[in-house]
């Protein structure tokens, strides 16, 4: 991997490590569909989709054409001062994605999921006149100071950079590791909802709480959803007390979970929706959809960015919606997600180091554990993903010991099965002690 090493050696002289979670020594050069190629010509089946930012795959011809056509006409003029026809058309299409009547919703643009979640905080405070924000342990809402203050998934997102913003409170998320032995779903929901309410009963006045921010299915927290009924209780609590309910769909939206939005799995009716990542198939763009009266609570320049709503990104976003609809990628995610569910469920019966398996569409978290203790095994996980990489499958981990399964929704079933064949062999080789230990310039993962 001569060129890979040359470029990485050059980059390391000037690139700060805080800007990357390191996994493998590779430089991505090109991609088509669900296949990536590095600068040395090695091919990989992509099971990450650029952190769920390229649900439509790499270099989709319709999206490439839309970008090229728009760039030939106008690359950028700031939507902070003037409209463009492309950006205006996108706004009218985005409100159609919200539940209910499109006329009840408005949109505002940003550059990334992080600033979309910042915008949610601003609008929630502006509309309610309340200061406090509640989010969940395990949440990843972004890296700007507002969104990082709402996050709780990695110590390096608070270490050395505090104090974070005031008025942020975390409640426990009902993840599988918190379930008691033989505890039913109903009992688990009741116990975790009691833990959710505890701050409000002791030190957090409901009348001073603006918004509850949720990932209906936590992404970087491990691809985890609570048992049925939990979100109903949280939503009812919010609405009962005049607290807004905001859903972060940056990672899990745009067909990733087998529905267009992940909150559809739970019948939620949010007040605010954050989107980004795959919104423009990886081009920098984000947005917040909010109920009209909420979005009219602030005035410019409360949420103005020079490049938000960039016209090339907006063209990509319109093409992305067209591809998702014309190629029926939401149904594709559900269909191939079941194929993946069957594969990982079978592997779990074959290998005792596979713990909990969670699949929602083409979107999954597969825990790698120490069979003796049942605890997550980071070293085993790193060995597995490193050897997958060496055998042409690009897959990373979450929180140290969870395999992150998020291929592009356009992946061909033959390529998916080919990745599973390689994965099964890696699992077998791991059991038999045949795998190479990770060998790279950095520690793998978070």
């Amino acid at each position: 991997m001569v060129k890979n090493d040359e470029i990485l050696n050059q980059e390391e002289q000037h690139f700060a490590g805080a800007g990357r979670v390191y996994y493998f020594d590779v430089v991505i050069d090109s991609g088509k569909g669900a296949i990536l190629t590095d600068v040395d010509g090695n091919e990989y089946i992509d099971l990450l989709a650029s952190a769920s930012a390229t649900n439509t795959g790499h270099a989709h011809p319709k999206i490439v054409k839309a970008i090229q056509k728009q760039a030939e006409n106008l690359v950028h003029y700031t939507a902070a001062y003037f409209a463009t026809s492309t950006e205006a058309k996108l706004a009218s299409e985005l409100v159609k994605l919200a539940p209910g009547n499109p006329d009840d919703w408005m949109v505002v643009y940003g550059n990334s999921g992080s600033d979309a979640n910042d915008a949610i905080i601003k609008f929630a405070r502006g509309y309610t006149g309340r200061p406090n924000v509640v989010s969940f342990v395990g949440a990843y809402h972004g890296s700007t100071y507002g969104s990082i203050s709402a996050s709780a998934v990695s110590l390096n997102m608070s270490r050395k950079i505090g104090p974070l913003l005031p008025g942020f409170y975390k409640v426990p998320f009902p993840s599988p590791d918190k379930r008691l032995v033989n505890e039913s779903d109903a009992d688990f929901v009741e116990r975790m909802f009691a833990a959710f309410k505890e701050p409000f009963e002791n030190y957090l006045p409901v009348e001073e709480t603006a918004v509850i921010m949720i990932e209906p299915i936590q992404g970087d927290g491990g691809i985890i959803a609570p048992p049925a009924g939990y979100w109903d209780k949280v939503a009812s609590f919010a609405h009962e007390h005049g607290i807004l309910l905001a859903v972060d769909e940056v990672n899990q939206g745009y067909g990733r979970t087998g529905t267009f939005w992940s909150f559809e799995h739970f019948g939620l009716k949010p007040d605010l929706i954050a989107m980004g990542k795959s919104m423009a198939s990886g081009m920098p763009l984000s947005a917040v959809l909010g109920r009209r009266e909420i979005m009219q609570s602030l005035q410019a320049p409360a949420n103005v960015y020079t490049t938000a709503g960039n016209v090339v990104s907006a063209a990509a976003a319109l093409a992305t919606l067209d591809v998702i609809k014309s190629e029926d990628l939401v149904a594709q995610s559900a269909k191939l997600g079941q194929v993946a569910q069957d594969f990982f469920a079978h592997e779990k019966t074959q290998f005792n180091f596979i713990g909990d398996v969670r699949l929602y569409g083409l979107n999954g978290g597969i825990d790698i554990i120490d069979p003796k203790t049942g605890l997550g095994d980071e070293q085993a996980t790193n060995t597995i993903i490193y050897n997958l990489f060496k055998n042409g499958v690009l897959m990373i981990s979450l929180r140290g010991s969870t395999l992150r399964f998020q291929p592009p929704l356009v992946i061909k079933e033959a390529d998916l099965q080919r990745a599973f064949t390689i994965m099964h062999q890696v699992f077998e080789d791991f059991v038999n002690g045949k795998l190479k230990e990770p060998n790279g310039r950095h520690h793998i993962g978070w």
Side-chain angles (χ1 to χ4, degrees), residues 360-427:
Y360 315 92
L362 275 176
N363 179 59
I366 299 89
D367 294 340
I368 303 300
I369 62 172
D370 180 339
K372 295 179 181 178
T373 65
L375 300 177
D377 190 333
E378 184 173 335
Q379 183 175 350
T381 305
N382 288 345
T383 299
I384 287 168
I385 60 175
Y386 176 77
N387 283 271
L388 285 172
F389 164 68
K390 286 296 185 180
N391 283 277
V393 174
L394 194 65
M395 191 181 207
I396 67 169
S397 62
L398 294 166
R399 307 198 78 174
S401 58
T402 297
L403 300 181
R404 178 177 185 167
F405 175 74
Q406 291 184 313
L409 306 186
V410 299
I411 191 170
K412 297 176 181 177
E413 187 167 355
D415 288 331
L416 188 62
Q417 293 291 3
R418 187 156 57 95
F420 288 158
T421 298
I422 295 169
M423 196 175 299
H424 178 77
Q425 187 61 56
V426 168
F427 289 165

Side-chain angles (χ1 to χ4, degrees), residues 23-231:
Y23 279 96
F24 315 119
D25 294 344
V26 62
V27 180
I28 304 299
D29 186 58
S30 63
K32 292 289 183 183
I35 305 300
L36 294 168
T37 305
D38 69 15
V39 292
D40 282 314
N42 301 302
E43 289 192 349
Y44 306 89
I45 303 171
D46 184 11
L47 298 186
L48 177 61
S50 188
S52 196
T54 52
N55 288 359
T56 57
H58 306 290
H60 192 290
K62 284 187 176 180
I63 296 167
V64 170
K65 184 177 180 180
I67 291 170
Q68 290 172 333
K69 183 178 179 181
Q70 179 57 60
E72 289 173 353
N73 189 47
L74 180 69
V75 170
H76 182 65
Y77 208 92
T78 178
Y81 297 115
F82 303 105
T84 63
S85 58
T86 307
E87 163 270 320
K89 182 180 179 181
L90 178 60
S92 66
E93 292 300 317
L94 290 176
V95 294
K96 297 175 185 177
L97 303 175
N101 186 345
D103 290 339
D104 294 337
W105 295 78
M106 300 187 81
V107 67
V108 69
Y109 295 117
N111 301 291
S112 72
S114 296
D115 62 51
N117 283 309
D118 274 12
I120 277 178
I121 295 162
K122 294 176 190 176
F123 282 102
R125 285 174 164 173
Y127 176 71
T128 64
R130 302 173 177 184
N132 294 328
V133 176
V134 172
S135 58
F136 285 79
V137 174
Y140 185 101
H141 292 298
S143 291
T144 50
Y145 259 99
S147 60
I148 209 168
S149 296
S151 301
V153 71
S154 170
L155 285 172
N156 282 348
M157 294 178 75
S158 58
R159 180 178 279 129
K160 297 183 180 181
I161 63 174
L164 300 182
L165 300 186
F168 287 77
Y169 298 85
K170 311 298 191 303
V171 291
F173 187 85
S175 54
D177 62 296
K178 292 184 174 63
R179 187 190 291 267
L180 302 177
V181 177
N182 298 323
E183 187 174 30
S184 69
D185 279 359
D187 288 345
F188 184 43
V189 166
E190 287 297 332
R191 184 168 62 83
M192 294 307 297
F193 185 59
F196 165 84
K197 291 189 295 183
E198 189 172 356
F200 296 101
E201 296 167 344
N202 290 281
Y203 58 87
L204 180 58
V206 291
E207 70 275 12
E208 295 180 14
T209 301
V211 63
I212 298 170
M213 298 176 66
I214 71 171
E215 295 169 279
I217 300 172
Q218 282 196 342
D220 288 71
I223 318 292
I224 301 171
Y230 180 80
W231 286 135

